[in-house]
């Protein structure tokens, strides 16, 4: 399990800052796909009419996890940057920190 704090002190590349500043951390989520993107328009036109499915549908899914992408926003200037983490099954943002030497209670 990966646990990341909600704020992180890291370097801001913006011309205004160019130093370590606190950043607000969120998890990146892909936006809604546009109906007017060129590939979608082409696909919809090809699908029209008779003839069934025209392009291959992917079925051989091999991966069980996705790479985690952190979206960091500078609290001083508002500059946003992204950082890729490794693959993991469980990701937590701002969870409780584990303390060293504490007994596991049930």
């Amino acid at each position: 399990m990966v646990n990341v704090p909600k704020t992180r002190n890291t370097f801001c590349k913006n011309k205004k800052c160019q130093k370590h500043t606190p950043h607000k951390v969120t998890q990146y989520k892909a936006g809604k796909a546009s109906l007017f993107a060129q590939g979608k328009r082409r696909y919809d036109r090809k699908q029209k009419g008779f003839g069934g499915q025209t392009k291959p549908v992917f079925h051989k899914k091999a991966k069980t996890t996705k790479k985690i992408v952190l979206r960091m926003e500078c609290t001083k200037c508002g500059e946003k940057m992204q950082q890729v983490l490794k693959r993991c099954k469980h990701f937590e943002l701002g969870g409780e920190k584990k303390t060293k030497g504490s007994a596991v209670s049930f």
Side-chain angles (χ1 to χ4, degrees), residues 24-35:
K24 192 170 81 180
V25 181
T26 53
Q27 189 177 354
Y28 167 80
K29 182 176 174 277
K32 187 180 170 191
S34 171
L35 291 171

Side-chain angles (χ1 to χ4, degrees), residues 10-67:
T10 189
F11 186 77
C12 180
K13 287 186 265 187
N14 195 350
K15 291 269 192 281
K16 295 173 191 170
C17 292
Q18 289 195 335
K19 60 176 179 274
H20 277 71
T21 55
H23 284 65
K24 192 170 81 180
V25 181
T26 53
Q27 189 177 354
Y28 167 80
K29 182 176 174 277
K32 187 180 170 191
S34 171
L35 291 171
F36 302 105
Q38 179 60 59
K40 178 68 174 148
R41 296 199 309 261
R42 187 183 293 124
Y43 177 75
D44 289 342
R45 187 169 169 81
K46 199 170 184 182
Q47 285 292 90
K48 262 186 184 161
F50 298 108
Q53 182 67 34
T54 58
K55 291 184 84 55
V57 179
F58 185 72
H59 292 298
K60 297 181 177 180
K61 189 171 183 293
K63 302 279 187 284
T64 57
T65 58
K66 288 192 173 190
K67 289 181 181 178

